[in-house]
Amino acid sequence: MIKNVALDLFGQKGYEDTSLAEIAKEVGIKKPSIYNHFRSKEDLFIEVLEDLIVSEVTAYRKTECTMNQEEPLTNIRMLFDLFCHRLMTTKEALLWKRVTFFPPEQFKDFIQEQFIHFERVTTSILVTVYKEGVNQEMFQEVSEDEFVASFLCLVDGVFLEHHYYTEKIFQQRIESAWKVYALGISRRKGE
């Protein structure tokens, strides 16, 4: 319960503008009671971020288990849809945005480590999809590094777009982005 409330408040207000007293009040306990669970606000924040990464990695690994190896373009769309869905529906997304764009100074290195860990997981999934696409002669004109970088840039752009647009406009924009992206990566020589 404490971590859920902290996740919401850290996401809404940021680390610096969220106090333990405020978290305790939302939970319905007194501030000293938080120290029965966490040594400090810093420890609470770190645990919330670690949980966020576990949640993201778990979602991507679960999706990976449902992929059909014979359909690389469908698989990459599944990853794209997962990213967009989580961005629009999870409580973690707000904190993820906040710490990505405005990381608290004392946590910059930790946040970067967590980000790199998550990117390694997504990259490993993307490489598997890429290799099957190459086997099917779908990605012949795109290197593995280009494939991974293009997908990560696509979702980074979506991440920013979600910040600025209404859900309706955002949906239109992600469909347009996907259409052009899919055409670009699935082109075969001679087509």
Side-chain angles (χ1 to χ4, degrees):
M1 180 71 167
I2 294 171
K3 287 197 281 187
N4 284 336
V5 169
L7 171 67
D8 287 339
L9 291 174
F10 288 144
Q12 292 168 23
K13 301 175 73 174
Y15 173 79
E16 293 89 353
D17 292 332
T18 301
S19 70
L20 286 180
E22 189 175 9
I23 293 168
K25 181 180 176 186
E26 287 291 318
V27 172
I29 60 176
K30 296 197 182 298
K31 179 182 169 185
S33 297
I34 288 181
Y35 294 109
N36 292 330
H37 307 277
F38 304 96
R39 289 186 313 212
S40 64
K41 178 178 159 182
E42 292 83 5
D43 286 349
L44 174 57
F45 186 72
I46 286 171
E47 282 199 36
V48 167
L49 284 177
E50 288 173 340
D51 289 353
L52 183 154
I53 295 301
V54 167
S55 176
E56 292 299 306
V57 167
T58 301
Y60 277 77
R61 288 294 188 202
K62 186 175 178 182
T63 297
E64 180 183 29
C65 290
T66 67
M67 291 179 171
N68 177 350
Q69 239 185 349
E70 303 298 316
E71 304 207 14
L73 198 55
T74 299
N75 292 339
I76 196 75
R77 178 62 197 244
M78 285 172 66
L79 290 174
F80 180 72
D81 288 346
L82 173 65
F83 179 87
C84 294
H85 174 75
R86 291 190 63 76
L87 185 60
M88 293 183 294
T89 62
T90 66
K91 295 191 310 184
E92 292 94 349
L94 185 58
L95 179 58
W96 193 232
K97 273 195 242 180
R98 183 173 289 279
V99 299
T100 300
F101 294 130
F102 308 107
E105 190 63 38
Q106 69 269 41
F107 297 106
K108 274 187 177 181
D109 291 341
F110 176 74
I111 291 166
Q112 185 170 7
E113 288 169 16
Q114 297 302 307
F115 178 82
I116 295 300
H117 169 66
F118 176 64
E119 189 172 282
R120 282 189 187 119
V121 170
T122 55
T123 297
S124 72
I125 298 168
L126 289 166
V127 166
T128 300
V129 171
Y130 172 79
K131 287 179 179 176
E132 184 54 39
V134 168
N135 288 341
Q136 295 181 27
E137 299 181 358
M138 184 177 287
F139 307 137
Q140 292 298 350
E141 296 180 26
V142 180
S143 73
E144 181 180 296
D145 288 342
E146 291 169 332
F147 180 81
V148 170
S150 68
F151 183 82
L152 295 176
C153 285
L154 174 66
V155 294
D156 285 349
V158 167
F159 190 69
L160 186 60
E161 293 275 308
H162 186 256
H163 184 73
Y164 291 108
Y165 296 102
T166 64
E167 292 303 314
K168 182 179 178 184
I169 294 171
F170 177 68
Q171 285 292 341
Q172 293 167 345
R173 293 178 76 93
I174 62 175
E175 286 307 317
S176 297
W178 173 258
K179 179 180 179 182
V180 173
Y181 178 78
L183 286 170
I185 63 167
S186 65
R187 300 293 285 172
R188 294 186 174 129
K189 289 185 179 185
E191 288 185 1

